[in-house]
Amino acid sequence: MLVTSKLYLEQARNKGFALPHFNYWDSNSIRAELAAAEKLNLPVILAWAQKHSAEINIYDALALGKYYGEKASVPVILHLDHGTDPDLVKWGAANGFTSVMIDASDKSFEENVATTKSIVEYAHQRGVNVEAEIGHVGTNSTEDNSNYTEVDAATAFQNETQVDSLAVSIGTSHGVYKHHGIPKLNFERLQALREALNIPLVLHGGSSSGDENLTKTVELGVTKVNIYTDLANISLKAAQEKPFENEPEMAEHQRDEIQNLAEHYFGVFKTNKYQYGD
Ligand code: 13P
Ligand code: ZN
């Protein structure tokens, strides 16, 4: 069934676990990610990112997400990830995504607040929850342009926008860490943010961050962890692993590998502490 994120993230915050956010980019990936959640009987966040529009546009992604989300035996939050175009984010909130992220984290504080506020107003009228980002989780492909989240700025941002959850930057970045292996995360900053803010915190750039690191962020109060690159890479590797007899055999192997990795991350994030009915 499709659900909104609020109660799930609140329970995660109270019980000390995180919900996995898995990006999907085609029907094979969404099927595999959902299969992991259904096998473990746990809720999951399935996400389409605006930056993946070339692989799958918002209409196709929404149709897939609604179809698989509605018939799922577990709660599915259908999330619009890294929406940088406010009109697109509003369209998504009005047309079936149950959760949206407005990402104006590369803009000034004032512009980030104003843009986020307008999305919060619009989405809340439609029962959709909003995630925003303060500080900036960058990409590792060239030089990392991340900016750690400041506690005072995050507190002011929460108060001014009334946003439902907040992506914070504490040392992860998007993609694999080409230059320096497993990242060193700023757990002190995370702890300070957790104490200062009373909304769920989100960790972006989860791939290749080290399982122990990720579990520790969850123990310190992160309630949603975003994973994309590791899933895409394992799918690619699976396709290259052996000379398959035919395409369906290859696609099945890709789904198996994506599912196994997704199941692994449910463990890393301690999602099995989730209790239905709470
Ligand atoms: P990774 O690709 O590093 O896992 O980051 C995923 C993400 O943050 C999606 O929003
Ligand atoms: Zn991200």
Side-chain angles (χ1 to χ4, degrees):
M1 76 219 71
L2 280 176
V3 298
T4 55
S5 57
K6 203 167 185 72
L7 291 176
Y8 296 87
L9 293 179
E10 276 170 9
Q11 191 191 127
R13 190 176 156 102
N14 293 337
K15 289 215 166 90
F17 65 86
L19 290 172
H21 153 136
F22 298 131
N23 287 91
Y24 63 91
W25 56 94
D26 61 8
S27 65
N28 227 33
S29 50
I30 196 169
R31 283 173 65 191
E33 292 159 7
L34 189 54
E38 289 189 319
K39 181 167 163 203
L40 300 173
N41 195 27
L42 291 171
V44 67
I45 299 168
L46 300 175
W48 169 80
Q50 189 188 325
K51 63 187 162 202
H52 293 157
S53 297
E55 289 97 304
I56 177 168
N57 67 40
I58 190 169
Y59 307 107
D60 296 353
L62 181 62
L64 270 182
K66 272 190 182 172
Y67 172 69
Y68 285 109
E70 273 163 9
K71 77 183 182 112
S73 63
V74 293
V76 171
I77 292 146
L78 187 59
H79 181 72
L80 194 162
D81 188 28
H82 288 290
T84 50
D85 172 358
D87 289 336
L88 187 84
V89 175
K90 285 182 180 167
W91 188 89
N95 285 282
F97 284 94
T98 64
S99 165
V100 294
M101 177 192 191
I102 175 71
D103 182 359
S105 63
D106 60 344
K107 304 283 193 306
S108 69
F109 179 83
E110 291 72 24
E111 198 176 338
N112 194 354
V113 166
T115 309
T116 301
K117 243 171 129 167
S118 81
I119 299 294
V120 167
E121 261 171 42
Y122 184 91
H124 281 183
Q125 284 168 13
R126 290 156 180 83
V128 171
N129 290 312
V130 181
E131 174 184 327
E133 178 167 328
I134 174 98
H136 185 65
V137 179
T139 318
N140 238 308
S141 52
T142 50
E143 79 195 57
D144 196 346
N145 57 346
S146 295
N147 264 331
Y148 279 24
T149 305
E150 306 287 342
V151 177
D152 289 350
T155 312
F157 189 84
Q158 177 198 323
N159 292 339
E160 288 185 41
T161 61
Q162 297 298 308
V163 74
D164 300 290
S165 60
L166 201 54
V168 294
S169 177
I170 54 152
T172 56
S173 61
H174 293 101
V176 288
Y177 300 87
K178 286 202 183 104
H179 308 296
H180 48 83
I182 290 178
K184 191 169 160 25
L185 304 186
N186 189 335
F187 295 115
E188 292 74 30
R189 181 66 60 88
L190 174 59
Q191 210 155 9
L193 287 163
R194 169 73 168 81
E195 281 161 19
L197 302 168
N198 58 18
I199 51 175
L201 302 182
V202 179
L203 189 72
H204 281 248
S207 290
S208 322
S209 299
D211 290 350
E212 277 181 28
N213 266 344
L214 292 175
T215 300
K216 193 158 177 199
T217 67
V218 171
E219 286 166 354
L220 291 176
V222 163
T223 55
K224 171 176 179 277
V225 184
N226 292 13
I227 303 281
Y228 162 63
T229 306
D230 282 355
L231 297 165
N233 282 347
I234 209 160
S235 175
L236 174 65
K237 191 164 153 265
Q240 294 169 336
E241 233 155 41
K242 43 189 170 180
F244 293 97
E245 291 291 317
N246 52 51
E247 199 279 342
E249 193 190 304
M250 179 185 78
E252 186 182 359
H253 186 53
Q254 288 179 295
R255 285 197 301 279
D256 286 347
E257 291 292 303
I258 293 172
Q259 181 180 341
N260 283 340
L261 184 59
E263 284 178 31
H264 170 76
Y265 275 124
F266 275 99
V268 173
F269 306 155
K270 302 185 166 193
T271 321
N272 62 1
K273 284 187 172 181
Y274 172 77
Q275 279 180 356
Y276 285 94
D278 270 26

